[in-house]
Amino acid sequence: MPLRLQRRAFLRGTGALLPLPLLNLMERPARAAEAERPPLRFVTLFKPNGVHPPSWNVSGGTENDFRMSPLMKPFERHRDDVLILDNMGDWGFSSHASSTRRFLSGHHENKRSASTDQLIADRIQGDTPHRSLELTTEGLFPNQVGCSYISYDATGAPIPRESDPQLIFDRLFRSPHADPRRRAELTSVLDRVRDDAKSLARRAGSEDRRTLDEYLEVVRTSEKRLANIAATPPRHDLATFERPGSGGTLDDQVEAMLELVELALWTDQTRCITYMLGNSNSRMIFDFLGIREQHHYLSHFFRNFSRSNLESLLKISLWHMEKFDSLLTRLKSRREGDRTLLDNTVVLYGSGMGHSDNHTVTRIPVVLAGGKDHLKTGRYVRYAENQELGRLHLSLLQMFGIDLDSFARSKEPLPGLDGSDYEPYREPAFESWVKVEGNVITVRGRIRMSDDLDEARVFLVDVDDRPPVRVEVGFGDFHRFNLAYHCGTAVTLTGTGDTGDRKVIRKVTKIESLFGKAPGTLNG
């Protein structure tokens, strides 16, 4: 009689249970077609502190033939698996706490409902042991606790995050022990289920044996990685610090966490995971990248400008993108029949604000990946007008079979995710010009930030058939006139400065948007 296993099957040993990935020999319910279809999962990776827009924004090309930006280079090999969205956000500005609430709740004032991930978790939990996982890399920020959460329950209250990979591994794959001191007493979970694994392998087919061997090797690798982190000696003399840092680097910790995300999804321990790479005003110091300043300080690259500060900020942003690349690579490496784990997972990567210094809510970084049956990837979609995140969330909820009439302030789902029609961005026609009266310069044109990293505090107003007008102002004008907010749009700007052949505005007196909404009229 052929061996058949339940879908929820385990390897058993003394005091140990190890969940198994999907194998061919697992029994099939009567509705075989539905049972064989792997579940759709949802994963979110949150990036703190916004971006340096000229390094993030896609420039040039079309929806299907575009040039990826410098900060997207780390995941360019996944180009066919991602959908880059542009003009996402709102017509306003954001505190750090608002940016975290907005990311999965659509709007910072949506404080009395569950976040998108939690609504999805309720829908897709099935018989998984864990309804959802909420993970983080950084501890609480007590001065503004709201900066530390992106997941909220049905009452709008924040859901605690977990940051210790070993505790998460114990929770997922080992007998639970509340006291961390007992972890050292645990033998390897693989050692304790070895006999059961050998017995199963003898009865399995060749394809299942390969899958089982691959799975057990990944579990062993995870155990070794976690053991290495714990075994790495602190970099400081323990006697000189009250609470020394844990062993291993931040990069080691995050890679261990991403490996757990991969394993948790692959073994169907959970189908919904959110992971914060840092709090929304992250104070982490990336010393393993050779950086000595806090991320939050560096994110204010206009007011704290130096070439070295900006380069450090871009190193951190590139590292964030490398972790996104690592997650996609892991999910693509796991097969589920004729598909990959990524094909059966909708991944959302992004931040809650755009320009990291001025906290704009325009052009928020948003990238979707995977979801083969629901997303048409390999595209860059820039909408004609700014789209509230609530529309994206409404679309995500509908992908997972959740029928809501509205979410946050949005009543219509976001078009174009599956290749359906949407209104793409096309710059309206306008006449550009420059007028000089005494030392007063008035210019009409498209305002943008300089691409030159040595000129990160310089704005340029493009004018047809002549050099752009430079805008070199102090932080007061930058902040008061919200220059970063208007970037990428046509404006009429007036100020005083150098009126020679090389026109430079050094003091702004007025700025008006030709087509956009005034900042603050729809505060996001």
Side-chain angles (χ1 to χ4, degrees):
M1 183 175 180
L3 171 68
R4 284 295 179 195
L5 297 178
Q6 298 285 339
R7 173 64 185 97
R8 177 64 56 210
F10 298 85
L11 293 176
R12 289 171 168 79
T14 305
L17 290 176
L18 183 64
L20 287 169
L22 182 64
L23 301 175
N24 293 328
L25 52 76
M26 289 175 173
E27 69 176 18
R28 304 174 184 180
R31 300 178 66 180
E34 288 187 16
E36 290 177 359
R37 186 181 304 125
L40 183 65
R41 295 89 159 186
F42 181 61
V43 176
T44 291
L45 203 59
F46 175 81
K47 179 200 181 310
N49 284 332
V51 292
H52 173 246
S55 300
W56 171 265
N57 293 337
V58 171
S59 59
T62 62
E63 175 182 339
N64 297 293
D65 183 18
F66 56 92
R67 182 172 64 251
M68 298 185 84
S69 68
L71 285 182
M72 295 181 188
K73 293 297 182 184
F75 71 101
E76 189 165 19
R77 59 179 171 156
H78 302 298
R79 181 189 186 99
D80 292 340
D81 299 295
V82 300
L83 173 60
I84 301 166
L85 303 182
D86 201 348
N87 274 2
M88 299 298 302
D90 212 331
W91 298 102
F93 301 90
S94 177
S95 69
H96 284 286
S98 293
S99 76
T100 47
R101 175 75 69 165
R102 174 184 305 104
F103 185 63
L104 288 176
S105 294
H107 193 269
H108 71 279
E109 292 181 351
N110 183 22
K111 298 180 179 180
R112 296 185 178 180
S113 73
S115 50
T116 300
D117 61 304
Q118 296 303 303
L119 293 172
I120 291 174
D122 284 339
R123 177 74 177 187
I124 66 176
Q125 178 184 4
D127 62 349
T128 59
H130 304 281
R131 175 182 168 279
S132 62
L133 292 178
E134 291 74 36
L135 311 176
T136 187
T137 298
E138 192 170 7
L140 287 175
F141 180 63
N143 292 351
Q144 198 174 12
V145 175
C147 297
S148 305
Y149 299 99
I150 56 176
S151 297
Y152 304 89
D153 66 20
T155 68
I159 297 176
R161 308 94 33 86
E162 298 180 85
S163 60
D164 186 338
Q166 286 194 324
L167 287 178
I168 298 164
F169 185 80
D170 291 348
R171 176 181 169 190
L172 293 174
F173 302 114
R174 288 179 172 169
S175 300
H177 291 287
D179 186 353
R181 291 173 299 180
R182 295 190 60 189
R183 283 188 234 155
E185 301 171 8
L186 293 172
T187 57
S188 167
V189 66
L190 293 185
D191 291 339
R192 291 187 287 155
V193 300
R194 180 181 292 112
D195 291 342
D196 199 22
K198 289 181 178 178
S199 175
L200 176 60
R202 284 195 297 267
R203 293 177 290 170
S206 58
E207 183 177 350
D208 279 348
R209 283 198 298 273
R210 286 194 299 270
T211 300
L212 185 61
D213 288 343
E214 183 180 8
Y215 169 60
L216 296 178
E217 179 59 32
V218 172
V219 174
R220 175 71 78 187
T221 300
S222 290
E223 288 186 330
K224 290 179 179 178
R225 183 189 297 276
L226 294 173
N228 288 338
I229 291 176
T232 302
R235 288 186 296 274
H236 308 291
D237 182 356
L238 297 181
T240 64
F241 293 89
E242 292 185 11
R243 295 188 65 191
S246 61
T249 68
L250 175 66
D251 192 66
D252 293 331
Q253 179 190 355
V254 173
E255 282 299 320
M257 201 75 92
L258 293 175
E259 194 162 50
L260 291 173
V261 170
E262 170 196 352
L263 279 175
L265 295 175
W266 195 35
T267 60
D268 209 27
Q269 284 287 290
T270 188
R271 296 170 185 172
C272 183
I273 302 175
T274 59
Y275 184 18
M276 298 181 71
L277 291 173
N279 296 332
S280 67
N281 63 346
S282 177
R283 259 55 176 184
M284 288 192 294
I285 296 177
F286 291 75
D287 52 354
F288 67 96
L289 294 178
I291 296 171
R292 297 291 179 262
E293 299 286 354
Q294 292 182 353
H295 184 197
H296 177 253
Y297 172 84
L298 296 170
S299 72
H300 289 285
F301 61 87
F302 187 99
R303 66 191 81 182
N304 300 320
F305 175 73
S306 74
R307 175 64 183 254
S308 62
N309 281 352
L310 183 54
E311 288 179 342
S312 293
L313 175 64
L314 296 182
K315 280 184 182 179
I316 294 171
S317 292
L318 280 169
W319 180 82
H320 287 147
M321 299 310 298
E322 288 168 359
K323 299 308 105 178
F324 183 44
D325 163 62
S326 177
L327 175 62
L328 297 186
T329 299
R330 291 176 182 281
L331 298 184
K332 286 171 72 172
S333 71
R334 301 294 158 222
R335 302 297 306 180
E336 291 190 315
D338 61 350
R339 290 190 172 190
T340 68
L341 185 54
L342 179 62
D343 291 335
N344 299 318
T345 304
V346 174
V347 182
L348 169 62
Y349 174 92
S351 187
M353 64 174 66
H355 192 289
S356 66
D357 196 314
N358 217 33
H359 293 190
T360 61
V361 195
T362 52
R363 303 190 78 175
I364 289 175
V366 176
V367 182
L368 293 170
K372 188 172 184 178
D373 291 332
H374 303 275
L375 300 174
K376 185 176 181 182
T377 55
R379 297 186 299 142
Y380 165 64
V381 172
R382 183 177 181 185
Y383 295 95
E385 292 191 357
N386 228 22
Q387 304 295 314
E388 291 185 349
L389 286 184
R391 297 193 71 184
L392 170 61
H393 298 150
L394 199 54
S395 293
L396 291 172
L397 292 170
Q398 291 181 0
M399 283 182 199
F400 287 89
I402 303 170
D403 188 15
L404 293 179
D405 293 331
S406 63
F407 184 75
R409 305 189 310 180
S410 300
K411 299 183 183 300
E412 296 290 337
L414 188 68
L417 301 185
D418 58 357
S420 58
D421 290 339
Y422 70 97
E423 186 178 356
Y425 175 80
R426 294 185 180 88
E427 185 175 69
F430 66 95
E431 181 182 356
S432 62
W433 43 259
V434 177
K435 297 178 181 178
V436 178
E437 296 180 356
N439 70 335
V440 176
I441 304 170
T442 301
V443 56
R444 172 175 289 181
R446 186 193 316 102
I447 188 171
R448 59 183 173 88
M449 294 178 65
S450 173
D451 295 326
D452 187 340
L453 297 187
D454 287 322
E455 297 182 337
R457 295 177 53 146
V458 174
F459 292 83
L460 302 171
V461 183
D462 291 321
V463 182
D464 292 339
D465 301 323
R466 62 185 305 164
V469 174
R470 296 170 64 87
V471 182
E472 300 181 22
V473 296
F475 175 75
D477 279 3
F478 163 76
H479 186 68
R480 177 187 173 193
F481 292 97
N482 303 308
L483 298 183
Y485 173 87
H486 292 284
C487 278
T489 65
V491 299
T492 302
L493 189 150
T494 302
T496 57
D498 305 340
T499 59
D501 292 339
R502 186 175 182 267
K503 294 177 174 52
V504 182
I505 293 177
R506 301 193 182 277
K507 182 68 179 176
V508 176
T509 57
K510 185 178 181 180
I511 186 170
E512 294 179 335
S513 176
L514 268 65
F515 309 111
K517 297 178 176 62
T521 57
L522 285 174
N523 186 19

